[in-house]
Amino acid sequence: GHELHRKVPYDYDSEYQDMYLRIAEALIDGEINVHEALIYQTEAKQGVHTAKSGLFLRDFPGRLVLYPLEAATCAVIFFSGDWADAYVAAICGLVSGLIEYIIGLIGGDIKILVDICVGISTGIIGGLFYKLSGGQYCISSIFLGTLYWFFYGTAFVVGILEIIAGELQTGVTRFIAVSVKTFVLSLGAALGLMIATTRSARTVWVESSEQQCGLIDLGEVWWRVPLYILCSAAVL
C-alpha cells in the first residue's frame, strides 16, 4: 500500500501559483502529458521559466533590496506612518532581512529562531528611536510595516476556508502554524520594545498611537497612488 503525506505550506508564491495553474490547465486540455507536466513543474521551481530580474529578487542577497522598500512603503501607505517612520522601518526591514539571510546560511534547526530574532531586533531598533527622540515616532507603523513581510495573511484566510469546507487536517494545521508564527513575531517585538524603552510595551504602543500616528492625510496628497504601486510591487 501507499502512505499519503500532506505538506501544508504557510503561504503561497503567486508566480508559482500562476505557473502551476497554467501547467494544470494544459494537462487537462491534453496539450501536454503527465510526464511533461511534472518536468515543467520541476523547472518552474528551479526558476527556469523566471526572468533574471525575478531570480535576483527572489533569493538572497538580491532579496535584501526588497525588505527596507516594503517596510518603508507599508509603514506610510497602510499603517498611518510618516516619512520619519518610513526611515526607521527601512532600517528595521534591512536588519530583519540580514537576520533571515545569515540564519539561512547557517541552516539547520537554527532557522526556527528567525521569527523571534526578527521581532526582537525590530522592537529594539524602533524602541531606541522612539526613546532617543522623546517619543516622536509611530511605533505601530514601524512594527507593522516591518513585520508585514513575515505575517502570512493568505494562510490565515485559506486555513479558515479549509476548516469551513471540512478539510480539518490541512485547515487546522495551517491555521495553528501561522498563529504560532504571528505570536512569536509579536512577542519578540514586544520584548525588544520593553528592552529598548524600559517601559511597558503596551504603554508605549498606546502612547505612540495616540500622539504620533496618522499625521499624514493620504487622501490629500497626490503621491499616495505611486507610493501604493511601489509598495505593492515590493510586496509581490
Side-chain angles (χ1 to χ4, degrees):
H2 296 83
E3 184 178 355
L4 178 63
H5 292 269
R6 294 189 179 186
K7 183 178 180 181
V8 183
Y10 283 135
D11 212 347
Y12 300 95
D13 187 302
S14 57
E15 182 181 4
Y16 288 155
Q17 272 189 299
D18 181 63
M19 286 186 180
Y20 291 158
L21 179 60
R22 292 172 183 269
I23 293 170
E25 290 177 342
L27 178 61
I28 293 173
D29 293 339
E31 298 175 4
I32 58 175
N33 55 42
V34 174
H35 180 65
E36 291 172 327
L38 292 174
I39 292 176
Y40 286 137
Q41 176 179 298
T42 302
E43 290 179 346
K45 189 66 176 178
Q46 294 173 343
V48 175
H49 305 291
T50 301
K52 291 183 178 180
S53 59
L55 292 175
F56 174 75
L57 296 174
R58 181 176 293 280
D59 203 359
F60 293 109
R63 193 173 185 173
L64 287 172
V65 175
L66 297 178
Y67 284 77
L69 180 61
E70 175 274 332
T73 53
C74 280
V76 176
I77 204 70
F78 289 136
F79 302 119
S80 304
D82 56 22
W83 295 115
D85 302 319
Y87 171 74
V88 178
I91 296 175
C92 293
L94 180 59
V95 172
S96 67
L98 288 171
I99 289 173
E100 187 174 18
Y101 180 33
I102 294 172
I103 291 180
L105 290 177
I106 297 173
D109 294 337
I110 196 175
K111 287 185 177 180
I112 63 174
L113 297 177
V114 169
D115 292 332
I116 189 68
C117 290
V118 165
I120 291 175
S121 68
T122 300
I124 290 177
I125 295 172
L128 284 176
F129 271 93
Y130 184 81
K131 182 177 182 179
L132 296 176
S133 68
Q136 298 300 309
Y137 291 94
C138 176
I139 290 295
S140 62
S141 69
I142 295 171
F143 282 19
L144 293 174
T146 303
L147 301 181
Y148 185 84
W149 182 282
F150 299 90
F151 289 142
Y152 288 154
T154 303
F156 269 117
V157 176
V158 172
I160 294 174
L161 291 177
E162 287 178 332
I163 293 173
I164 294 174
E167 295 288 342
L168 297 181
Q169 182 179 357
T170 55
V172 172
T173 301
R174 193 191 314 277
F175 188 80
I176 292 177
V178 295
S179 297
V180 171
K181 180 180 178 69
T182 302
F183 172 77
V184 171
L185 285 166
S186 303
L187 177 63
L191 288 174
L193 185 60
M194 290 173 62
I195 292 171
T197 62
T198 64
R199 298 170 59 194
S200 164
R202 175 179 173 80
T203 300
V204 176
W205 182 280
V206 173
E207 177 184 275
S208 169
S209 298
E210 291 178 347
Q211 300 177 9
Q212 301 298 328
C213 298
L215 301 182
I216 297 178
D217 184 358
L218 291 177
E220 300 297 325
V221 293
W222 64 268
W223 44 260
R224 68 184 184 281
V225 175
L227 184 65
Y228 178 81
I229 294 174
L230 182 61
C231 178
S232 300
V235 171
L236 294 175

